[in-house]
Amino acid sequence: MRSLLQQASPVLPVVVIEDSAHAVPLASALCEGGLTVIEITLRTDAALEAIRQIRQALPQLQVGVGTLTHARQLPAILDAGACFAVSPGFSSELAAATRAAGLPWLPGVQTPSEVMQALNAGFDCLKLFPASLTQLDTLAGPFPTVGFCPTGGINDSNLQQYLQRPTVLCCGGSWLVPPALQAAQDWNAICILASRAVELARGEHRC
Ligand code: 3PG
């Protein structure tokens, strides 16, 4: 998971997609804006079909699944072709199941105990959810080698502050793919949001 995020542009769009027909134009806009990794959350019925279509149309993109909360979701995720999975929290069940499936997994954490659980299970690349600069700095003390992907509450105005932190691998967020722009099929506006994020990230990212 670490190498996947290190190779990526340091911004991970968290997509909630309502219509799978929007998947390819949306992903193309993000790609044109300079992003290389996309997370499609399992919060809508369109998610798996969206992943399938993006994988077929844009094989250069790394497309993963988000909001993975239970191992029973894995067969359908693998069948759709997801390259990685992201969860809002950590569970031993998902640690074992994603490892058995060979699917790179980014589990969510918030507290030192959760970081320790994840490390003990062999995961050192973690989503800090919800994101907080204070929590990130606090966790960097005892866990300086953990790579974090803060997500939740990140946008253009605080992205650079997060990316300046040495333990941050990348930042995730939905601000790049607002539901209103998706509904309006304003792919150009989404491309501009992605380009702006890439521009902000340039020069600020050290991992
Ligand atoms: C997530 O699932 O990662 C978060 O809901 C994204 O948070 P954001 O909408 O504040 O970016």
Side-chain angles (χ1 to χ4, degrees):
M1 192 70 215
R2 185 181 285 261
S3 61
L4 191 147
L5 292 179
Q6 275 173 334
Q7 284 159 22
S9 54
V11 181
L12 176 62
V14 176
V15 179
V16 179
I17 191 158
E18 297 293 345
D19 185 347
S20 61
H22 294 168
V24 172
L26 170 66
S28 300
L30 293 169
C31 191
E32 203 179 314
L35 301 182
T36 54
V37 180
I38 299 180
E39 174 188 335
I40 308 282
T41 65
L42 283 177
R43 295 175 209 174
T44 64
D45 291 341
L48 293 177
E49 179 57 23
I51 291 171
R52 195 170 280 114
Q53 290 190 18
I54 295 168
R55 287 280 285 157
Q56 275 171 8
L58 300 160
Q60 71 275 29
L61 278 180
Q62 301 277 347
V63 58
V65 72
T67 325
L68 171 65
T69 55
H70 198 283
R72 66 172 168 261
Q73 296 167 297
L74 278 175
I77 288 168
L78 294 168
D79 185 60
C83 305
F84 64 93
V86 184
S87 295
F90 178 86
S91 83
S92 305
E93 179 212 27
L94 275 174
T98 53
R99 179 169 290 122
L103 185 68
W105 183 46
L106 183 69
V109 296
Q110 181 59 218
T111 66
S113 297
E114 289 163 358
V115 174
M116 286 166 63
Q117 266 187 292
L119 284 175
N120 287 338
F123 295 86
D124 68 352
C125 183
L126 307 171
K127 167 173 171 163
L128 178 66
F129 179 71
S132 141
L133 286 166
T134 305
Q135 193 67 343
L136 193 57
D137 292 342
T138 302
L139 293 172
F143 306 111
T145 60
V146 170
F148 287 102
C149 174
T151 308
I154 297 185
N155 52 48
D156 271 2
S157 64
N158 58 12
L159 174 66
Q160 286 176 308
Q161 285 177 287
Y162 279 97
L163 289 177
Q164 282 163 3
R165 264 43 182 199
T167 56
V168 170
L169 290 171
C170 72
C171 288
S174 65
W175 86 97
L176 301 158
V177 282
L181 291 185
Q182 290 189 55
Q185 300 186 52
D186 192 343
W187 312 126
N188 188 48
I190 287 176
C191 177
I192 290 168
L193 286 175
S195 310
R196 165 92 180 127
V198 169
E199 201 176 294
L200 284 171
R202 198 167 286 144
E204 295 297 344
H205 192 235
R206 292 199 293 243
C207 266

